[in-house]
Amino acid sequence: MNEELLLSLLKLDLGITHNLRDAYFISKLESAQEEMEIMGVVFDLDRSDDQMLIADYAAYAYRNRQNNVPLSRSIQFRINNRLIKKAGTVDAITEIKLGE
């Protein structure tokens, strides 16, 4: 993970300029990426849209860490688009055939 870039994106989103919580934010970014990978999302961290998705998911998780707020529709749509994109690849078709 390009830790510095993702950390900068997250902090910009949250409007935070100090580095007092950087270790926490880095953990939040790693957790966000791992959660989405468990859902089946495959990331290419050289792509800006994947970087933004991780930062946005981490920002959502940070803002709503004490509330029971559903995931925003825009983030959910972006996750679903990546899952659909993966389902149309040759690797996904091979995985389905091997699982039969």
Side-chain angles (χ1 to χ4, degrees):
M1 173 177 4
N2 188 343
E3 198 172 276
E4 268 185 54
L5 176 60
L6 292 176
L7 180 61
S8 295
L9 291 171
L10 175 60
K11 288 171 67 173
L12 282 170
D13 188 339
L14 297 174
I16 295 173
T17 57
H18 59 76
N19 60 359
L20 300 175
R21 293 186 221 149
D22 283 2
Y24 177 76
F25 291 143
I26 290 168
S27 295
K28 194 57 100 171
L29 287 162
E30 291 170 353
S31 175
Q33 181 177 351
E34 290 170 8
E35 285 180 35
M36 288 185 284
E37 286 174 346
I38 289 170
M39 292 179 209
V41 177
V42 177
F43 291 105
D44 176 0
L45 294 179
D46 293 328
R47 293 179 50 103
S48 60
D49 57 337
D50 284 350
Q51 295 164 0
M52 287 303 302
L53 177 57
I54 293 169
D56 289 347
Y57 191 94
Y60 155 81
Y62 177 77
R63 286 188 181 108
N64 298 295
R65 65 191 179 280
Q66 296 177 345
N67 303 321
N68 187 17
V69 177
L71 187 61
S72 76
R73 291 179 58 101
S74 65
I75 295 173
Q76 187 62 54
F77 284 143
R78 290 162 55 201
I79 291 170
N80 289 343
N81 286 342
R82 277 165 184 74
L83 294 174
I84 291 168
K85 182 178 173 182
K86 179 186 175 197
T89 64
V90 174
D91 291 340
I93 294 168
T94 304
E95 288 175 19
I96 292 169
K97 289 182 180 178
L98 292 176
E100 292 178 348

